[in-house]
Amino acid sequence: MRMAGSTMQKRMLAAMRPAGLGAAEPVRWQQRKAAQTRLKMLEAAVDCLVEGGYQGLTTAQVAERAQVSRGAMHHHFATRMDLVSAVVEHLFYQRMRLFLDDYLGALAQSRDGQLVDLATQAHWRSVQTREYAAFLELAVAARTDAELNDAFEPAARRYDEVWTAEMIESFPQWRDQWEAMKLGSDFAIAVHSGLLLQRPVLGPERIEKVLRL
């Protein structure tokens, strides 16, 4: 199971790998340094999204938070939309990576192997992360910002396609019930997103009842 999980993880992350990372890990010191600086900027951009929404995601704000010069910022991201496009890819990749780390870790410690329950619980935890909060900011802003949507929608569709293809590949025992499995997955995703947004109103007790249901 551990080897199968590792293979699944490699496949899914390779499919979601941001274009800016290249096909492989950088080898030369200068390339590694540039990659680290770029990652630092992207993580700063995620913080800007969480704290200030999409309007707070500017090259100036990111440069200040990442503690890099405007010149370095311009070298990696010449325009705000270059930055936004990179952040979109980064967020979807990170969401996938964090979910898989959590799910496969829980699976390795589980004795009863309840795959669906473990995956559902891991997904609920995933929507409460900083990365998901930033994702929501982008998703809402993309509804009324055509330029952002041009970057966001293809990445969202690719995420869904990778997720769907991997469920079919990794769990052949469910192929005869694939439509029911996909419906269950879609339902859990929709419910978790809704619970997250309604959490201040519903409170922990009502949320727990819905999660059990």
Side-chain angles (χ1 to χ4, degrees), residues 20-142:
L21 290 181
E25 295 298 325
V27 177
R28 296 179 180 178
W29 177 82
Q30 287 183 327
Q31 292 174 324
R32 290 199 302 270
K33 184 179 179 182
Q36 290 169 357
T37 300
R38 179 184 176 88
L39 178 59
K40 187 178 180 181
M41 294 175 182
L42 292 174
E43 286 295 300
V46 173
D47 289 337
C48 288
L49 274 170
V50 172
E51 294 178 14
Y54 185 59
Q55 295 303 316
L57 181 58
T58 66
T59 55
Q61 289 287 344
V62 171
E64 181 179 350
R65 181 175 284 272
Q67 296 183 325
V68 300
S69 67
R70 295 289 182 89
M73 190 78 209
H74 184 76
H75 173 74
H76 286 275
F77 307 108
T79 68
R80 180 175 186 260
M81 279 313 301
D82 289 338
L83 171 64
V84 168
S85 296
V87 171
V88 167
E89 287 194 332
H90 175 72
L91 274 174
F92 278 105
Y93 180 81
Q94 289 296 93
R95 280 187 58 203
M96 185 74 79
R97 183 184 67 79
L98 292 170
F99 169 79
L100 290 172
D101 284 348
D102 186 6
Y103 169 61
L104 295 174
L107 189 61
Q109 296 178 13
S110 173
R111 294 183 179 180
D112 52 18
Q114 295 295 318
L115 302 181
V116 174
D117 287 346
L118 291 173
T120 304
Q121 292 160 11
H123 187 268
W124 171 238
R125 289 190 293 270
S126 78
V127 303
Q128 299 174 73
T129 61
R130 152 183 175 272
E131 285 74 17
Y132 195 81
F135 158 79
L136 281 181
E137 292 294 337
L138 290 174
V140 171

